[in-house]
Amino acid sequence: MQPLTLLILQAAGLNFLVMIEKQHIFMAEAIKLGMENILTGNGGPFGAVIVKNGEIIARGANRVTIDNDPTAHAEVVAIREACNTLGSFQLEGCEIYCSCEPCPMCLGAIYWARPEKIYFAAGRNDAADAGFDDEFIYREIASDFQERKIPAIQINRLQALDVFSKWKETDRKIPY
C-alpha cells in the first residue's frame, strides 16, 4: 500500500476528506516547478524533485538558457542538489519525480546516480509535440560512432588505455 496523505477540501460550503497518494503530491511539485520556470522565464517547462524517506530533499528546474549550460536540465539540477545534500554521489533510497520522461542525457545521469525509482508525468512524445524532440539523440546513441552526425574521431587510444590500466591497479579508487 502506498503512503497516503489526507487533505480537507472545501466545496459548496462542505468539507471533503480526500486521500491522495504521496507520489501524486511529489509529482505535482515537479510539474509546478516546470510551470514556474515558464512564468519566470528562467528556462524550459521541466521540473524534478528527489525524495528520500517520504521527504523532498532536492528540487530542480530547467536552467539551460539562464545558465548557458546545455546540461542544466531539471533532473541534473535536482541530482546535483540531492547529492550535495546527502554528501554522496549516489541516491541510495531515493526516488526522482520528473515532470516529463527524462531525455537521454538525464536518463544516463539518473542511472549513474542510482535512485530506486523514476516517476514521470508527460511522455517523450508529449515533449516532442512541444518542440523538445530527443528522437534524433536516441538514434545517434544507437549508431556506431563513425556514423554519427557530429564527427567522432578516435585518437590516442593506447595512451588512454594506460590510464584505465592504472585505474584497475590503484587501491585509491572508489567504484561507481
Side-chain angles (χ1 to χ4, degrees), residues 18 26 32 75 85 99 111-112 116:
V18 180
F26 299 140
K32 182 180 103 178
E75 298 90 337
T85 297
S99 63
Y111 269 83
W112 278 110
E116 289 185 4

Side-chain angles (χ1 to χ4, degrees), residues 22-43:
K22 277 196 159 190
Q23 287 87 351
H24 294 283
I25 293 169
F26 299 140
M27 184 59 74
E29 179 67 16
I31 294 168
K32 182 180 103 178
L33 290 168
M35 182 62 79
E36 288 174 352
N37 221 34
I38 295 168
L39 298 175
T40 60
N42 284 341

Side-chain angles (χ1 to χ4, degrees), residues 137-156:
I137 298 171
Y138 285 106
R139 285 194 309 271
E140 286 289 282
I141 289 170
S143 298
D144 289 332
F145 76 88
Q146 304 94 329
E147 298 172 8
R148 295 187 181 143
K149 303 297 182 224
I150 297 176
I153 300 119
Q154 185 176 24
I155 60 175
N156 293 38

